[in-house]
Amino acid sequence: MNEKIRHLQQRLREEQLDALLLTRRDNVAWLTEGASFYVVDRAETGVASLLITAEGITLIAPENEMSRILAEEPLPFPLKTIAYPWFTTLNTVLASLPFSRTGSDIPLGNSRELTNIRTDLNAAECQRLIRLGREVATLVEKVARGVRPGMSEQQVEAQIYAECLPLAIRPVCTLVAADDRIAAFKHPVPGPAQVQQQMMITLGAERHGLNISITRMIHLGEPAADSRQRLHTVAEIHADMLAASRPERHWQTIFADIQASYSRYGFPDEWRAHHQGGPAGYGCRDFIVTPDTPGKLTINRALAWNPTLPGVKSEETVLLTAEGLHSLTHTGNWPTIALQRGDSVMRFADWLITRP
């Protein structure tokens, strides 16, 4: 934990700032390894902030929120507190403090907005992510096996929530598509459509700040040969993406390899139809990789690539460590497509074929 605080204090020196305010839920969860300070589930910001200075950390919260945060939220470091009346603004509090140069992770008054604040995952976070990946994959596959003709997308969504919440897992991105909606929409928000032949289930799930993403494809009855082939092709592209994801490679070089893979399999422009994913951790995606993304891939990063072709999608979460890539969403209980890249055999989710 002290490493994260030292990282932020170093950032203060580099940016010539007196203080840095963290209010985004993902950044608060990263620094505390689990807190979020949220009340509204879908809000990107919480109801409290952490102010980092060279001397330490201060928790700033409304008086009506402070007691619960101190009693129940993870706060694994010494801190001071500033409580203010709910009818006063955070800007007013900051203006009363003796700092003339303040940074913030959200637009706020005269503060300078900073991005790319977080560091790579530490050993404890990697272990938490491994456990989360296993649990998320298991519950998604459980729901998928129960899909029957006539079930609506919203019924499947409800079952996902029912499996997640008792495990303290929050579904932050739930996409379900039946039949024609799979090819029609890249982000199919669940609706009343009832499945007849095929369904796609995508889940982005979060627990204590960390995120896992996964997609599974279900076919009621035997899929047509072209459907089988298309999912196999998107798995080949996914395998190329993972093979390209090596430490110290620049994101732009990795993306060029992704573009080349789509071309190699006969879909040279299909990468334009939908984003391809990117690094994950304290965000469903920390950022989406594009042809122009600066920087490079480092170890102890989670990756959630999600190549798509019309009607099919492949999406898993992997962890890149010094030892290589480790799948976080492979349970061993789902049909897979095994593909070899170099000395590595990679497994990607195939169609689950059920008998209606």
Side-chain angles (χ1 to χ4, degrees):
M1 189 60 59
N2 289 335
E3 292 180 4
K4 295 183 179 182
I5 296 172
R6 284 195 293 269
H7 165 76
L8 294 177
Q9 290 171 333
Q10 175 63 29
R11 185 75 181 268
L12 290 176
R13 291 189 289 271
E14 292 171 355
E15 302 284 347
Q16 297 184 328
L17 295 172
D18 301 317
L20 171 60
L21 190 76
L22 301 185
T23 309
R24 286 179 55 99
R25 287 172 58 179
D26 50 4
N27 289 333
V28 168
W30 163 75
L31 181 57
T32 61
E33 297 194 9
S36 66
F37 304 163
Y38 79 91
V39 172
V40 178
D41 194 20
R42 300 296 176 111
E44 289 188 354
T45 59
V47 295
S49 303
L50 293 171
L51 187 72
I52 296 90
T53 68
E55 287 70 43
I57 299 179
T58 301
L59 169 65
I60 304 175
E63 293 169 346
N64 59 317
E65 305 290 354
M66 183 68 80
S67 60
R68 188 200 65 79
I69 291 171
L70 291 175
E72 297 182 344
E73 295 274 10
L75 295 167
F77 37 69
L79 49 73
K80 299 177 182 178
T81 61
I82 297 176
Y84 61 93
W86 63 265
F87 50 85
T88 301
T89 67
L90 180 59
N91 267 328
T92 301
V93 175
L94 291 178
S96 70
L97 299 177
F99 305 121
S100 60
R101 300 169 300 176
T102 303
S104 173
D105 63 352
I106 61 171
L108 190 68
N110 295 323
S111 297
R112 189 197 316 168
E113 187 175 1
L114 298 184
T115 58
N116 299 324
I117 289 170
R118 302 191 295 271
T119 55
D120 295 338
L121 301 173
N122 61 33
E125 289 166 326
C126 289
Q127 289 304 310
R128 284 169 48 211
L129 198 63
I130 290 169
R131 290 193 296 271
L132 179 61
R134 183 169 57 247
E135 292 180 37
V136 169
T138 298
L139 72 87
V140 168
E141 292 176 3
K142 176 183 176 181
V143 172
R145 288 190 188 91
V147 171
R148 296 293 180 269
M151 288 183 66
S152 74
E153 296 165 351
Q154 289 164 330
Q155 285 178 300
V156 173
E157 179 187 27
Q159 290 186 6
I160 290 172
Y161 270 72
E163 293 292 333
C164 283
L165 295 184
L167 300 174
I169 296 171
R170 308 203 73 81
V172 295
C173 177
T174 308
L175 306 174
V176 185
D179 302 307
D180 294 344
R181 291 189 76 239
I182 301 174
F185 308 113
K186 296 299 185 183
H187 283 147
V189 176
Q194 296 179 342
V195 62
Q196 302 303 318
Q197 280 195 318
Q198 52 188 327
M199 177 168 274
M200 181 184 75
I201 300 174
T202 292
L203 179 61
E206 175 264 335
R207 184 169 64 196
H208 306 313
L210 292 174
N211 289 260
I212 288 288
S213 296
I214 182 174
T215 291
R216 292 293 181 262
M217 307 287 299
I218 307 100
H219 209 286
L220 307 179
E222 196 68 27
D226 63 335
S227 293
R228 281 186 174 277
Q229 181 57 50
R230 188 156 292 190
L231 188 56
H232 192 282
T233 299
V234 84
E236 293 275 11
I237 295 170
H238 201 166
D240 288 347
M241 296 168 90
L242 293 183
S245 302
R246 301 190 298 276
E248 301 303 313
R249 298 196 79 211
H250 288 273
W251 292 115
Q252 293 176 14
T253 304
I254 294 173
F255 201 88
D257 288 346
I258 292 171
Q259 293 170 306
S261 181
Y262 273 95
S263 294
R264 185 160 50 251
Y265 290 101
F267 296 90
D269 294 319
E270 197 61 34
W271 65 270
R272 297 176 179 272
H274 189 50
H275 76 75
Q276 303 301 303
Y282 282 95
C284 197
R285 300 295 188 277
D286 289 336
F287 53 85
I288 299 297
V289 178
T290 74
D292 302 316
T293 298
K296 57 187 178 182
L297 175 59
T298 54
I299 62 171
N300 298 327
R301 293 296 292 264
L303 292 166
W305 297 119
N306 51 263
T308 64
L309 293 175
V312 293
K313 179 181 182 181
S314 181
E315 183 174 19
E316 311 284 352
T317 305
V318 300
L319 181 64
L320 177 63
T321 70
E323 289 73 42
L325 288 168
H326 307 271
S327 175
L328 304 182
T329 45
H330 175 63
T331 64
N333 297 316
W334 188 270
T336 58
I337 300 166
L339 299 172
Q340 187 153 359
R341 295 295 185 272
D343 295 331
S344 300
V345 176
M346 307 175 184
R347 296 188 178 275
F348 303 91
D350 201 350
W351 288 104
L352 175 71
I353 303 171
T354 65
R355 305 302 170 188

